Amino acid sequence: MVKIEHIGIAVKSLDTSIPLYEKLLDTNCYKKEEVAGENVRTAFFKTGESKIELLENTASGGVIEKFIEKKGEGIHHIAFEVKDIHEEISRLKKEGFVFLNETPKRGADNKLICFLHPKSSGSVLVEICQEIL
Ligand code: ZN
């Protein structure tokens, strides 16, 4: 793993949370992007080497809606950048980790992404991501 690429935070409303995080981090949101397949709208902030990704639900029954119903707003996942996502998937599978999706899919912010099942990663939803060059 190269570094923590970003931390994903589930929010009820980007309109409310973007100004909050702009004040908190003293930096402007630099990108908003909808990921239609995931039913989320995202907003990104840079904090040095790492980023904060805010996630808002866009369709009834979406994963962020379910998360907020269960746990409320807050930290949703931690994303680690990897050099080669396919190599990392086979390494992690050999180590016994289970994936929610074993085939990398296109995520926000120009990334190929995979999620590990939290049951195999200490109840933490872990994303691994590789920049699409
Ligand atoms: Zn993410």
Side-chain angles (χ1 to χ4, degrees), residues 27-88:
T27 186
N28 291 326
C29 167
Y30 72 91
K31 186 195 268 187
K32 285 193 222 172
E33 188 180 346
E34 186 150 351
V35 187
E38 301 288 318
N39 299 325
V40 295
R41 198 174 292 125
T42 63
F44 284 90
F45 302 84
K46 285 200 174 99
T47 55
E49 285 263 299
S50 305
K51 296 169 192 160
I52 297 293
E53 173 188 37
L54 301 182
L55 302 145
E56 177 193 65
N57 192 70
T58 58
S60 168
V63 287
I64 296 303
E65 181 183 84
K66 286 183 194 154
F67 180 88
I68 289 175
E69 270 170 19
K70 264 197 231 161
K71 300 188 177 175
E73 292 181 294
I75 294 179
H76 178 257
H77 65 272
I78 299 180
F80 295 97
E81 183 180 314
V82 299
K83 280 210 181 87
D84 182 329
I85 198 163
H86 298 282
E87 257 177 40
E88 202 61 31

Side-chain angles (χ1 to χ4, degrees), residues 6-8 44 53 55 77 79 113 115 127:
H6 64 268
I7 293 175
F44 284 90
E53 173 188 37
L55 302 145
H77 65 272
I113 65 170
F115 283 98
E127 173 186 336

